C-alpha cells in the first residue's frame, strides 16, 4: 500500500500479528513541510485581513516563522462573531508539528498610529475609565483625574482614542491611591519592563 503523499509517520496504533478490519487506523501520516494555521479575528477586521498578507507565527518556545494568509471563511461565526482566517507556514526544518499552540500576528500594509499607555495606568469604573495626569502647579507636581476613551489592548498596553494628548505625563500605576490636586513626586525605583507580547514565567 502506498500513501497518497509523503510525510512524517507518528506512533503506530497496532501491534505485530493483530487482525485488522477495514478502516482501522494503523499510523498517523502528516505532511509537515508546509503547515496551515487557522485563527480567528473579530468581525470588525473583516475587510482588513486579506490573502497575501504576511503572518508571523510564534511558538510558546519563542520561535517565530513567517508565512502568508491564503484564505478566509465565507461566513462569520454567529456565536462568536469572529471570522476564521487560514495561513500557510513553511516548515522545511520540520520544527513545527500539527496541533501546536501558537500566537499569530498579521502584518497590515497600512499600520495605524495610536497613543498607547500602560494598562496599569487605567482606572476602570462603570461611569467611565480614567487616568491621572501629572501637571505643574506653581512648581509643584500635582495630579488631575482625566476621563479617557479606550481602544484596543495589546500586551501590557491600551490604546487611548480620546482624553489624552501625546506628551502628557500620567501616573503609571497606583492611581487608586490618588485624588485630584494631590502632590506627587516621581519614584526612583526602576519600572518593570512593558511588552506588546509579554511572556510571563510559569509558576
Amino acid at each position: 500500500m502506498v500513501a497518497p503523499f509523503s510525510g512524517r509517520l507518528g506512533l503506530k496504533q497496532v501491534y505485530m500479528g493483530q487482525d485488522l478490519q477495514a478502516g482501522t487506523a494503523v499510523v498517523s501520516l502528516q505532511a509537515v513541510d508546509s503547515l496551515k494555521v487557522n485563527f480567528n479575528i473579530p468581525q470588525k477586521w473583516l475587510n482588513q485581513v486579506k490573502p497575501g498578507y504576511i503572518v508571523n507565527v510564534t511558538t510558546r518556545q519563542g520561535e517565530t516563522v513567517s508565512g502568508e494568509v491564503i484564505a478566509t471563511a465565507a461566513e462569520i461565526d454567529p456565536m462568536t462573531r469572529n471570522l476564521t482566517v487560514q495561513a500557510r507556514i513553511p516548515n522545511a526544518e520540520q520544527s513545527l508539528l500539527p496541533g501546536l499552540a501558537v500566537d499569530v500576528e498579521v502584518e497590515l500594509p497600512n499600520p495605524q498610529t495610536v497613543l498607547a499607555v500602560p494598562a496599569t495606568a487605567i482606572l476602570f469604573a462603570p461611569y467611565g475609565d480614567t487616568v491621572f495626569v501629572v501637571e505643574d502647579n506653581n512648581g509643584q507636581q500635582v495630579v488631575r483625574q482625566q476621563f479617557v476613551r479606550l481602544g484596543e489592548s495589546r500586551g501590557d498596553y491600551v490604546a487611548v482614542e480620546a482624553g489624552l494628548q501625546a506628551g502628557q505625563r500620567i501616573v503609571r500605576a497606583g492611581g487608586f491611591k490618588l485624588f485630584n490636586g494631590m502632590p506627587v513626586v516621581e519614584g526612583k525605583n526602576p519600572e518593570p519592563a512593558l511588552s506588546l507580547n509579554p511572556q510571563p514565567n510559569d509558576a
Side-chain angles (χ1 to χ4, degrees):
M1 180 179 295
V2 179
F5 59 88
S6 60
R8 178 175 177 176
L9 292 176
L11 300 176
K12 64 180 181 179
Q13 303 177 39
V14 296
Y15 55 86
M16 185 72 69
Q18 180 178 345
D19 186 15
L20 302 181
Q21 301 296 323
T24 301
V26 176
V27 65
S28 173
L29 173 65
Q30 301 285 345
V32 295
D33 289 339
S34 177
L35 299 179
K36 292 179 180 179
V37 179
N38 293 336
F39 58 97
N40 297 321
I41 60 173
Q43 63 178 2
K44 68 178 182 178
W45 293 102
L46 171 64
N47 297 319
Q48 301 294 322
V49 177
K50 300 179 181 180
Y53 284 7
I54 299 299
V55 172
N56 298 315
V57 174
T58 303
T59 68
R60 301 299 166 83
Q61 291 73 35
E63 180 183 3
T64 300
V65 181
S66 296
E68 68 174 7
V69 174
I70 58 174
T72 59
E75 70 286 329
I76 299 292
D77 188 317
M79 300 298 295
T80 63
R81 301 301 177 188
N82 289 335
L83 176 72
T84 300
V85 180
Q86 187 173 88
R88 179 179 288 115
I89 307 298
N91 190 37
E93 297 182 359
Q94 300 186 5
S95 58
L96 305 178
L97 292 177
L100 188 68
V102 295
D103 296 320
V104 180
E105 180 183 78
V106 180
E107 294 185 9
L108 300 181
N110 298 311
Q112 297 177 333
T113 300
V114 300
L115 177 62
V117 300
T120 52
I122 307 296
L123 296 176
F124 299 97
Y127 56 81
D129 303 319
T130 60
V131 298
F132 274 98
V133 179
V134 180
E135 299 178 329
D136 182 78
N137 183 17
N138 297 323
Q140 187 177 45
Q141 302 297 306
V142 298
V143 293
R144 174 178 57 84
Q145 195 169 16
Q146 174 68 43
F147 283 97
V148 292
R149 186 172 75 244
L150 303 179
E152 297 288 334
S153 61
R154 181 178 174 188
D156 296 324
Y157 292 93
V158 179
V160 177
E161 296 180 345
L164 282 180
Q165 296 181 354
Q168 286 186 292
R169 299 175 63 199
I170 64 171
V171 175
R172 175 169 169 165
F176 63 92
K177 302 177 181 179
L178 306 178
F179 55 83
N180 276 321
M182 182 178 180
V184 294
V185 295
E186 185 174 355
K188 298 187 181 300
N189 294 328
E191 298 178 344
L194 300 178
S195 172
L196 292 174
N197 185 29
Q199 301 291 334
N201 294 326
D202 295 332

